[in-house]
Coordinates of all heavy atoms in Angstrom, one line a residue:
S1 N -72.1 -27.3 11.4 CA -71.4 -26.6 10.3 C -71.5 -27.5 9.0 O -71.6 -27.1 7.9 CB -70.0 -26.3 10.6 OG -69.3 -27.4 11.0
L2 N -71.3 -28.9 9.2 CA -71.4 -29.8 8.1 C -72.8 -29.8 7.5 O -72.9 -29.8 6.3 CB -71.1 -31.2 8.6 CG -71.2 -32.3 7.6 CD1 -70.3 -32.1 6.4 CD2 -71.0 -33.7 8.2
Y3 N -73.8 -29.7 8.3 CA -75.2 -29.6 7.8 C -75.3 -28.3 6.9 O -76.0 -28.4 5.9 CB -76.2 -29.5 9.0 CG -77.6 -29.6 8.5 CD1 -78.3 -30.8 8.4 CD2 -78.3 -28.4 8.3 CE1 -79.6 -30.9 8.0 CE2 -79.7 -28.5 7.9 CZ -80.3 -29.7 7.8 OH -81.6 -29.7 7.4
S4 N -74.7 -27.3 7.3 CA -74.8 -26.0 6.6 C -74.1 -26.1 5.2 O -74.7 -25.6 4.2 CB -74.2 -24.9 7.4 OG -74.2 -23.7 6.7
V5 N -72.9 -26.7 5.2 CA -72.2 -26.6 3.9 C -72.7 -27.6 2.9 O -72.2 -27.6 1.7 CB -70.7 -26.9 4.2 CG1 -70.1 -25.9 5.1 CG2 -70.4 -28.3 4.7
L6 N -73.6 -28.5 3.2 CA -74.1 -29.5 2.3 C -75.3 -28.9 1.6 O -76.1 -28.2 2.1 CB -74.5 -30.8 3.0 CG -73.4 -31.6 3.6 CD1 -74.0 -32.8 4.3 CD2 -72.5 -32.1 2.5
V7 N -75.5 -29.3 0.3 CA -76.7 -29.0 -0.5 C -77.8 -29.7 0.2 O -77.7 -30.9 0.7 CB -76.5 -29.4 -1.9 CG1 -77.8 -29.3 -2.7 CG2 -75.4 -28.6 -2.6
R8 N -79.0 -29.1 0.3 CA -80.1 -29.7 0.9 C -80.5 -31.0 0.2 O -80.6 -31.0 -1.1 CB -81.3 -28.8 0.9 CG -81.3 -27.6 1.8 CD -81.4 -28.0 3.3 NE -80.2 -28.7 3.8 CZ -79.1 -28.0 4.3 NH1 -79.1 -26.7 4.3 NH2 -78.1 -28.7 4.7
G9 N -80.7 -32.1 0.9 CA -80.9 -33.4 0.4 C -79.7 -34.2 0.2 O -79.8 -35.4 -0.2
A10 N -78.5 -33.6 0.4 CA -77.3 -34.3 0.2 C -77.0 -35.3 1.4 O -77.6 -35.1 2.5 CB -76.1 -33.4 0.1
R11 N -76.1 -36.2 1.2 CA -75.7 -37.1 2.3 C -74.3 -36.9 2.8 O -73.4 -36.4 2.0 CB -75.9 -38.6 1.8 CG -77.3 -39.0 1.5 CD -77.3 -40.5 1.1 NE -78.6 -41.0 0.8 CZ -79.0 -42.2 0.6 NH1 -78.0 -43.2 0.7 NH2 -80.2 -42.6 0.3
A12 N -74.1 -37.4 4.0 CA -72.7 -37.4 4.5 C -72.5 -38.9 5.1 O -73.4 -39.4 5.8 CB -72.5 -36.4 5.7
V13 N -71.5 -39.5 4.7 CA -71.2 -40.9 5.1 C -69.9 -40.9 5.9 O -68.8 -40.6 5.3 CB -71.1 -41.9 4.0 CG1 -70.8 -43.3 4.5 CG2 -72.5 -41.9 3.2
L14 N -69.9 -41.1 7.2 CA -68.7 -41.0 8.0 C -68.4 -42.4 8.6 O -69.1 -42.9 9.4 CB -69.0 -40.0 9.2 CG -69.7 -38.7 8.8 CD1 -70.1 -37.9 10.0 CD2 -68.9 -37.9 7.8
Q15 N -67.3 -42.9 8.1 CA -66.8 -44.2 8.7 C -66.1 -43.9 10.0 O -65.3 -43.0 10.0 CB -65.9 -44.9 7.7 CG -65.5 -46.3 8.1 CD -64.3 -46.3 9.0 OE1 -63.4 -45.4 8.9 NE2 -64.2 -47.3 9.9
L16 N -66.4 -44.7 11.0 CA -65.8 -44.4 12.3 C -65.6 -45.7 13.1 O -66.1 -46.7 12.8 CB -66.6 -43.4 13.1 CG -68.0 -43.9 13.6 CD1 -68.5 -43.0 14.8 CD2 -69.1 -43.9 12.5
Y17 N -64.7 -45.5 14.2 CA -64.5 -46.6 15.1 C -64.9 -46.2 16.5 O -64.1 -45.7 17.3 CB -63.0 -47.0 15.0 CG -62.5 -47.6 13.7 CD1 -61.7 -46.9 12.9 CD2 -62.8 -48.9 13.4 CE1 -61.3 -47.4 11.7 CE2 -62.3 -49.5 12.2 CZ -61.6 -48.7 11.4 OH -61.1 -49.3 10.2
P18 N -66.2 -46.4 16.8 CA -66.6 -46.0 18.2 C -66.0 -46.9 19.2 O -65.9 -48.1 19.0 CB -68.1 -46.1 18.1 CG -68.4 -47.2 17.0 CD -67.3 -47.0 16.0
E19 N -65.6 -46.3 20.3 CA -65.0 -47.1 21.4 C -66.0 -48.0 22.1 O -65.7 -49.1 22.5 CB -64.3 -46.2 22.4 CG -63.6 -46.9 23.5 CD -62.8 -46.0 24.4 OE1 -63.0 -44.8 24.3 OE2 -62.0 -46.5 25.2
N20 N -67.2 -47.5 22.2 CA -68.3 -48.3 22.8 C -69.7 -47.7 22.4 O -69.7 -46.8 21.6 CB -68.2 -48.3 24.4 CG -67.9 -46.9 24.9 OD1 -68.6 -45.9 24.5 ND2 -67.0 -46.7 25.8
S21 N -70.7 -48.4 22.9 CA -72.1 -47.9 22.5 C -72.4 -46.5 23.0 O -73.1 -45.8 22.3 CB -73.1 -48.9 23.0 OG -73.1 -49.1 24.4
E22 N -71.9 -46.2 24.2 CA -72.1 -44.8 24.7 C -71.5 -43.7 23.8 O -72.1 -42.7 23.6 CB -71.5 -44.7 26.1 CG -72.3 -45.5 27.2 CD -71.9 -47.0 27.1 OE1 -70.9 -47.3 26.5 OE2 -72.6 -47.8 27.8
Q23 N -70.3 -44.0 23.3 CA -69.6 -43.1 22.4 C -70.4 -42.9 21.1 O -70.6 -41.8 20.6 CB -68.2 -43.5 22.1 CG -67.4 -42.4 21.4 CD -65.9 -42.8 21.2 OE1 -65.6 -43.4 20.2 NE2 -65.1 -42.6 22.2
L24 N -70.9 -44.0 20.6 CA -71.7 -44.0 19.3 C -73.0 -43.2 19.5 O -73.4 -42.5 18.7 CB -72.0 -45.4 18.9 CG -72.7 -45.6 17.5 CD1 -71.9 -44.9 16.4 CD2 -72.9 -47.0 17.2
E25 N -73.6 -43.4 20.7 CA -74.8 -42.7 21.0 C -74.5 -41.2 21.1 O -75.3 -40.3 20.7 CB -75.4 -43.2 22.3 CG -76.8 -42.5 22.6 CD -77.4 -43.1 23.9 OE1 -76.8 -44.0 24.5 OE2 -78.5 -42.6 24.3
L26 N -73.4 -40.8 21.7 CA -73.0 -39.4 21.8 C -72.9 -38.8 20.5 O -73.4 -37.7 20.2 CB -71.7 -39.3 22.6 CG -71.1 -37.9 22.6 CD1 -72.0 -36.9 23.4 CD2 -69.7 -37.9 23.3
I27 N -72.3 -39.5 19.5 CA -72.0 -38.9 18.2 C -73.4 -38.8 17.4 O -73.6 -37.7 16.9 CB -71.1 -39.9 17.4 CG1 -69.7 -39.8 18.1 CG2 -71.0 -39.5 16.0 CD1 -68.7 -40.9 17.5
T28 N -74.2 -39.8 17.5 CA -75.4 -39.8 16.7 C -76.4 -38.7 17.3 O -77.1 -38.1 16.6 CB -76.1 -41.2 16.7 OG1 -76.2 -41.6 18.0 CG2 -75.2 -42.1 15.9
T29 N -76.4 -38.6 18.6 CA -77.3 -37.6 19.3 C -76.9 -36.2 18.8 O -77.8 -35.4 18.5 CB -77.1 -37.7 20.8 OG1 -77.6 -39.0 21.2 CG2 -78.0 -36.6 21.5
Q30 N -75.7 -35.9 18.7 CA -75.3 -34.5 18.3 C -75.6 -34.3 16.8 O -75.9 -33.2 16.4 CB -73.8 -34.3 18.6 CG -73.4 -34.3 20.1 CD -74.3 -33.3 20.9 OE1 -74.4 -32.2 20.5 NE2 -74.8 -33.8 22.0
A31 N -75.4 -35.4 16.0 CA -75.8 -35.2 14.6 C -77.3 -34.9 14.4 O -77.6 -34.1 13.6 CB -75.4 -36.5 13.9
I32 N -78.1 -35.6 15.1 CA -79.5 -35.4 15.1 C -79.9 -34.0 15.6 O -80.8 -33.3 15.0 CB -80.3 -36.5 15.8 CG1 -80.1 -37.9 15.1 CG2 -81.8 -36.2 15.9 CD1 -80.6 -39.0 15.9
K33 N -79.2 -33.6 16.6 CA -79.5 -32.3 17.2 C -79.1 -31.2 16.2 O -79.8 -30.1 16.2 CB -78.6 -32.1 18.5 CG -78.8 -30.8 19.2 CD -78.0 -30.7 20.5 CE -78.1 -29.4 21.2 NZ -77.3 -29.3 22.4
A34 N -78.1 -31.4 15.3 CA -77.7 -30.5 14.3 C -78.7 -30.4 13.1 O -78.5 -29.5 12.3 CB -76.3 -30.8 13.9
G35 N -79.6 -31.3 13.1 CA -80.6 -31.3 12.0 C -80.6 -32.5 11.1 O -81.5 -32.7 10.2
F36 N -79.6 -33.4 11.2 CA -79.5 -34.6 10.3 C -80.5 -35.6 10.7 O -81.0 -35.7 11.8 CB -78.1 -35.2 10.4 CG -77.0 -34.4 9.7 CD1 -76.1 -33.7 10.4 CD2 -77.0 -34.5 8.3 CE1 -75.1 -33.0 9.7 CE2 -76.0 -33.8 7.6 CZ -75.0 -33.1 8.3
T37 N -80.9 -36.4 9.7 CA -81.6 -37.7 9.9 C -80.7 -38.8 9.4 O -79.7 -38.5 8.8 CB -82.9 -37.7 9.2 OG1 -82.7 -37.5 7.8 CG2 -83.9 -36.6 9.7

């Protein structure tokens, strides 16, 4: 949904505190799956 509401070519910068590397990988994997680079 975030990918949809952004103008094409726009950026999203999300500051976060991942608990571990597995959690960070889970987050980035779903972002890429949604269409982000």
Side-chain angles (χ1 to χ4, degrees):
S1 60
L2 176 60
Y3 186 89
S4 173
V5 302
L6 291 176
V7 173
R8 290 288 75 82
R11 294 186 181 187
V13 178
L14 317 175
Q15 185 276 328
L16 68 159
Y17 292 106
E19 185 174 9
N20 47 48
S21 58
E22 290 78 13
Q23 190 177 93
L24 184 59
E25 183 178 358
L26 172 64
I27 294 172
T28 54
T29 298
Q30 297 305 314
I32 294 172
K33 184 179 177 181
F36 283 108
T37 57

